[in-house]
Amino acid sequence: MDRLALKQDRKQIKVTGLVQGVGFRPTVYRYAVTHRLAGFVKNTSQGVLIDVTGTPKAVKAFVKKIQKHPPALARIDSLATRTLKPAGHKCFKITRSRTALHTEALITPDTAVCPDCLREFNNPKERRYQYPLINCTNCGPRYTITTGRPYDRPQTTMKPFVMCDECAREYLDPADRRFHAEPNSCFVCGPVHDSVESGPRFHKKHRHKTARERFISAFHTLCKKIGRGQIVAVKGLGGYHLAVDPFNRKAVLRLRKKKRRMNRAFALMAGDINVIKNYAHCSRSEQRALISKERPIVLLTKKDKRLDHISPDNNKLGCMLPATPLQHLFANKFELLVMTSANLSGEPLMSDERDLKKLFDHHVIAAALTHNRKIANKCDDSILQVIDGKPALIRRARGYVPDPISVKKKLKPVLALGANLKNTFALGSGHKVFLSPHMGDLTDVRNMEHFKKQVALFLQLFAIKPKTIVTDAHPDYENTRFAEERLYNKRVMPVYHHYAHMVSCIVDNGLDISDDILGIICDGTGFGTDGHIWGCEFLKTHRSTHRFKRLGHLKYFKLPGGEQAIAEPYRIATALFGDSGHKNDSRIKKLLASKIPIPQTSSLGRVFDGVAACLKLIDKVEYEAQAAILLESEVYKKYTDDQIAGCDLTYPRTITLKDKMYIIDLGLMFDEIKRDKNKTDTPTIALKFHKTIIRTLFETAQKIGFNKVVLSGGCFQNRILLSGLSRLFGKKCHVHKQVPANDAGISLGQAYLGGL
Ligand code: ZN
Ligand code: ZN
Ligand code: FE
């Protein structure tokens, strides 16, 4: 201590960012001890506060170490130091936080099991050998078990489980990897696993003594069922998965019938990348995405036809690596497994025992592997694809939620309710916007119920009291009505769908709304300022106000039957091509010629529908964007990415300026496609169609003039479209990075506008 007294520096260090629930304090503790520093570290409402005293050299090295080597899951947003007078600290301590409100402290997303835990999991000498819920401060569940704030064991669904002595010792030892790991548990004290074979009965007879034996026996029961071609349910982090053997076509078909999902792709899980490589092409950036701690489903290009029945609609296979210890165990047993979220046609994800009962009642599953820890927050698997080497999210959920999106401007507290399909909502405050996981289609009452509950929970979890509630400008959306009913005392601010898309992409790229930006927004459906259904829009932000200008769009066309035309795209084909060859063609023609008012649209998504129907690729739509997926896949039947990029075939079309508005008319293209149908193969027509859209969008932008361009809307999930257009625009082009281009990204734009 004498040496300390001779010359010592004291520094207080404030760290903000993702610094709680990620093992930050134990790491700081270890660094402080190795550098022989005295003082303390504690969680505060803003993040972490460190107070250290020691030799100037040691203090300096310590600060550097935290900056350069923070814990694996931490993210430092800011680190501020100030010098204080030494206060006579004798040792280094982790002080328990007494602050009741962690207003700024972030709840972290669930994370894939870490290498350390996985080693213990596979080591028969460890007490957590094969313990399916093994975790530490570097990995495991977070968001999905959180019921309140601050993030502390009693505020998680681990509350009913009292730690055994050994777990408690780890939990209290600052030097341990499990120091304050809130879900810390083991076979002795943690949730109990069991297999159920008819409705959820937890307390059946137990022939087995220990929790481990019970679990292993349950696991083997399930494996046997899968081996026999049966469908089973497995409890995951954010909900149940349905698992089935992908090589058993009959089993997969049964799953399709049960889910009423005859053509939509299922996700596959494999133990390691080499297995995946046997079935799909996997570039280096795709591998990086697969092994990332978020563990999303990554869409890869199929290698051959062996697994065509898994994704009959397209040339992709959605693959993921195990995220949980239990999934690792399954991956050791089965080379590949279909792992699809347990829900029945459009309903919310299934996550509790009532849901399990439903799965048995509907004869979907033969058995389930489950445990008695509740899922507090449902969260689907995330999905992404890699386009031009960069990840593009399709669904931002497990692993990402509730990590906030950082925004440059300081936002007032705001709640943004999102769009109606592929809904997410968002809470904004300060420099952060928190996006919810996918709530799905809100026209379904069950999804709407879930949405209401989740909004209430987010308000509580993030302690944000919104002053403004943003809704879509559509007068008839379920969530708009919710805003008007429930939150009448706040300012309700409607934002037009496509402008929300545009601002979402602006914010996603850290651009400024007052910059001179041209937005090209292409999607399926959005309510426009003129009451028509928009969907291929050239927009500019309006400097002083938060309004926008529309500078160009696709020429309106009729949508015979409105909503029905979206489900039956031959109707659109009749409207665009004059006839569709469908048996109901003459009925639609009569409707088009009649005086019955027919909705008008400028939607590019609907053009994809019409073209796909004209080429006989689709009859009835099973899921959103199916036609576009089919058209894209058609191209890849004959052409490679390089050939697609090199091709400059296009169909004729016109762009005219009328009353300061550029109107894209694709009439000539439709005529030629009709002629081509008898002469040319479908992949070539599909390619030429894509190329025409790319050129036309680019030429329209050129005519309008641009400085920076943002691309948003569901159509930009089409790889050919996004890649082709961003190539033409080059460096001036900005695409989505942190949120999906589809309607799930809308709440970000809404929150930003409402919070300004
Ligand atoms: Zn771990
Ligand atoms: Zn224990
Ligand atoms: Fe949209």
Side-chain angles (χ1 to χ4, degrees):
M1 287 297 116
D2 284 351
R3 265 182 297 125
L4 263 179
L6 270 178
K7 185 168 186 191
Q8 48 182 348
D9 261 9
R10 178 177 170 213
K11 277 214 157 58
Q12 225 172 47
I13 306 150
K14 276 185 187 168
V15 193
T16 68
L18 270 182
V19 290
Q20 291 188 12
V22 292
F24 204 85
R25 287 172 302 165
T27 306
V28 166
Y29 176 88
R30 280 197 299 275
Y31 291 171
V33 170
T34 38
H35 285 99
R36 297 183 180 207
L37 302 176
F40 63 88
V41 56
K42 67 175 185 184
N43 281 348
T44 67
S45 57
Q46 275 85 38
V48 164
L49 179 74
I50 308 164
D51 192 313
V52 284
T53 306
T55 66
K57 207 175 147 194
V59 170
K60 214 173 148 190
F62 169 79
V63 175
K64 217 174 187 176
K65 188 121 187 219
I66 292 172
Q67 283 171 314
K68 287 215 165 145
H69 303 283
L73 297 183
R75 190 199 62 230
I76 296 178
D77 287 345
S78 76
L79 186 149
T81 60
R82 65 183 182 131
T83 308
L84 294 175
K85 249 197 221 152
H89 291 124
K90 293 277 182 279
C91 60
F92 196 84
K93 276 189 208 152
I94 298 182
T95 314
R96 278 214 74 176
S97 44
R98 258 179 241 130
T99 17
L101 290 177
H102 290 215
T103 39
E104 278 266 336
L106 304 181
I107 295 161
T108 55
D110 301 54
T111 308
V113 57
C114 74
D116 288 334
C117 285
L118 200 57
R119 252 192 306 277
E120 289 179 17
F121 181 72
N122 289 321
N123 182 355
K125 286 189 186 125
E126 290 286 344
R127 66 189 195 94
R128 286 195 186 83
Y129 173 54
Q130 293 181 327
Y131 179 56
L133 297 177
I134 188 169
N135 68 84
C136 71
T137 45
N138 297 321
C139 74
R142 296 288 186 279
Y143 166 72
T144 57
I145 58 164
T146 305
T147 53
R149 289 171 331 116
Y151 177 69
D152 219 347
R153 189 152 170 130
Q155 307 271 27
T156 70
T157 52
M158 284 303 290
K159 186 182 173 186
F161 305 98
V162 179
M163 271 183 270
C164 67
D165 288 351
E166 268 184 276
C167 284
R169 188 192 50 72
E170 297 163 337
Y171 184 85
L172 293 173
D173 178 1
D176 196 281
R177 204 171 89 246
R178 297 199 166 88
F179 177 71
H180 278 268
E182 305 303 345
N184 189 29
S185 60
C186 71
F187 271 124
V188 175
C189 63
V192 180
H193 277 76
D194 228 329
S195 66
V196 278
E197 285 174 47
S198 58
R201 275 180 300 118
F202 246 100
H203 305 287
K204 56 174 191 176
K205 277 189 293 176
H206 293 299
R207 282 172 290 126
H208 305 285
K209 280 181 199 134
T210 68
R212 174 188 281 115
E213 280 164 348
R214 255 167 94 178
F215 164 65
I216 293 299
S217 142
F219 173 71
H220 286 303
T221 306
L222 250 78
C223 288
K224 256 184 245 155
K225 304 243 178 215
I226 296 171
R228 270 190 240 129
Q230 289 177 303
I231 303 166
V232 302
V234 181
K235 194 168 190 173
L237 283 171
Y240 281 99
H241 280 107
L242 296 178
V244 86
D245 174 8
F247 300 103
N248 187 329
R249 284 170 178 264
K250 264 195 194 157
V252 174
L253 185 66
R254 210 166 49 247
L255 180 61
R256 289 202 174 282
K257 283 185 180 151
K258 290 293 180 191
K259 281 197 90 172
R260 270 180 271 156
R261 183 169 159 170
M262 294 319 287
N263 295 296
R264 197 173 189 173
F266 287 134
L268 293 170
M269 184 186 78
D272 72 280
I273 284 179
N274 291 324
V275 172
I276 292 175
K277 278 183 179 166
N278 287 332
Y279 300 94
H281 299 280
C282 192
S283 71
R284 226 187 261 163
S285 30
E286 284 164 338
Q287 290 181 34
R288 226 174 294 137
L290 278 168
I291 59 167
S292 67
K293 66 177 169 34
E294 292 87 5
R295 290 291 152 95
I297 295 166
V298 181
L299 299 190
L300 304 169
T301 308
K302 259 184 234 171
K303 255 193 180 156
D304 51 45
K305 293 198 176 298
R306 269 176 297 173
L307 289 171
D308 251 1
H309 59 289
I310 299 298
S311 54
D313 261 359
N314 60 58
N315 60 324
K316 301 274 163 14
L317 278 180
C319 297
M320 64 172 168
L321 293 173
T324 65
L326 180 57
Q327 289 180 346
H328 276 278
L329 221 51
F330 274 111
N332 291 344
K333 259 303 218 248
F334 299 94
E335 187 192 17
L336 280 178
L337 265 188
V338 167
M339 282 291 239
T340 181
S341 45
N343 60 349
L344 300 172
S345 56
E347 290 181 22
L349 184 62
M350 295 178 147
S351 71
D352 61 23
E353 297 187 12
R354 250 199 357 250
D355 292 332
L356 209 52
K357 186 169 179 313
K358 214 159 146 191
L359 288 172
F360 280 112
D361 290 350
H362 287 69
H363 304 286
V364 178
I365 53 170
L369 181 51
T370 183
H371 57 73
N372 57 346
R373 180 176 75 200
K374 283 210 172 88
I375 293 170
N377 302 302
K378 299 183 192 200
C379 203
D380 250 314
D381 293 324
S382 296
I383 308 175
L384 65 77
Q385 56 182 335
V386 175
I387 299 178
D388 295 330
K390 286 173 216 126
L393 281 163
I394 293 171
R395 191 203 281 150
R396 183 182 184 275
R398 181 185 48 75
Y400 298 91
V401 171
D403 244 2
I405 309 288
S406 298
V407 298
K408 272 190 182 164
K409 289 226 171 92
K410 194 167 180 194
L411 303 181
K412 290 183 209 109
V414 58
L415 168 65
L417 297 181
N420 219 28
L421 299 172
K422 292 189 192 300
N423 174 276
T424 67
F425 62 87
L427 265 181
S429 180
H431 293 280
K432 294 187 179 80
V433 178
F434 300 91
L435 262 71
S436 76
H438 276 226
M439 298 289 117
D441 175 357
L442 296 189
T443 55
D444 189 310
V445 269
R446 289 158 301 192
N447 286 330
M448 194 56 210
E449 279 311 306
H450 179 50
F451 171 88
K452 286 178 187 169
K453 274 190 215 153
Q454 213 58 29
V455 167
L457 189 100
F458 257 59
L459 289 173
Q460 188 222 335
L461 279 186
F462 298 102
I464 293 172
K465 292 200 170 67
K467 294 205 161 52
T468 306
I469 293 165
V470 186
T471 64
D472 195 283
H474 196 292
D476 220 27
Y477 273 1
E478 279 75 5
N479 48 2
T480 306
R481 255 175 283 154
F482 164 73
E484 285 158 359
E485 283 163 23
R486 285 273 310 277
L487 308 146
Y488 52 90
N489 52 344
K490 318 238 165 43
R491 182 173 73 123
V492 175
M493 175 178 162
V495 171
Y496 282 93
H497 186 97
H498 295 91
Y499 190 46
H501 266 305
M502 176 176 181
V503 176
S504 168
C505 197
I506 290 174
V507 176
D508 197 347
N509 285 282
L511 301 174
D512 202 296
I513 198 165
S514 57
D515 287 350
D516 177 23
I517 299 171
L518 175 65
I520 305 180
I521 316 301
C522 301
D523 67 349
T525 301
F527 184 77
T529 53
D530 56 2
H532 291 312
I533 303 166
W534 290 13
C536 178
E537 313 302 321
F538 291 78
L539 308 177
K540 269 204 172 170
T541 49
H542 198 284
R543 268 169 196 281
S544 53
T545 69
H546 301 147
R547 280 176 296 153
F548 63 92
K549 267 190 283 187
R550 188 193 200 195
L551 299 167
H553 63 88
L554 196 65
K555 191 179 154 191
Y556 286 123
F557 57 94
K558 283 177 178 171
L559 210 52
E563 285 290 316
Q564 232 176 322
I566 299 173
E568 300 172 346
Y570 72 85
R571 290 164 176 267
I572 301 169
T574 309
L576 294 177
F577 293 88
D579 61 72
S580 65
H582 192 275
K583 61 180 192 296
N584 294 338
D585 201 26
S586 57
R587 238 184 54 209
I588 305 302
K589 276 185 196 161
K590 243 183 246 162
L591 175 65
L592 284 164
S594 73
K595 284 191 179 135
I596 300 168
I598 296 173
Q600 304 237 29
T601 185
S602 60
S603 160
L604 185 62
R606 298 291 90 81
V607 171
F608 271 84
D609 289 353
V611 172
C614 169
L615 296 176
K616 296 272 172 290
L617 295 175
I618 193 167
D619 187 28
K620 279 204 171 109
V621 171
E622 183 186 313
Y623 55 91
E624 223 199 322
Q626 189 182 12
I629 288 171
L630 286 164
L631 267 173
E632 184 193 311
S633 296
E634 198 60 28
V635 178
Y636 284 102
K637 281 186 182 162
K638 191 174 169 186
Y639 300 97
T640 63
D641 274 323
D642 287 341
Q643 286 170 320
I644 295 166
C647 159
D648 46 16
L649 293 172
T650 53
Y651 287 114
R653 68 279 169 188
T654 54
I655 304 162
T656 48
L657 183 64
K658 209 175 134 191
D659 303 328
K660 291 185 183 168
M661 185 74 80
Y662 287 93
I663 307 288
I664 299 170
D665 188 344
L666 298 173
L668 295 171
M669 176 183 80
F670 299 132
D671 292 343
E672 284 239 353
I673 289 180
K674 245 168 93 180
R675 249 169 285 162
D676 257 3
K677 248 172 51 168
N678 306 316
K679 302 185 297 200
T680 317
D681 58 283
T682 317
T684 307
I685 299 174
L687 172 62
K688 252 174 104 173
F689 163 70
H690 276 93
K691 284 288 178 174
T692 308
I693 301 298
I694 293 166
R695 284 295 331 173
T696 311
L697 294 176
F698 182 64
E699 282 160 16
T700 310
Q702 277 184 315
K703 284 181 197 284
I704 293 170
F706 59 85
N707 187 16
K708 282 178 191 155
V709 176
V710 293
L711 305 180
S712 189
C715 291
F716 290 110
Q717 288 188 166
N718 181 303
R719 166 185 300 267
I720 303 172
L721 210 58
L722 186 77
S723 172
L725 211 52
S726 41
R727 226 166 268 197
L728 282 179
F729 282 116
K731 281 203 176 114
K732 291 180 173 176
C733 185
H734 300 271
V735 302
H736 280 284
K737 291 180 178 132
Q738 309 167 76
V739 299
N742 62 32
D743 284 5
I746 274 192
S747 56
L748 174 62
Q750 289 181 340
Y752 189 80
L753 289 167
L756 279 180

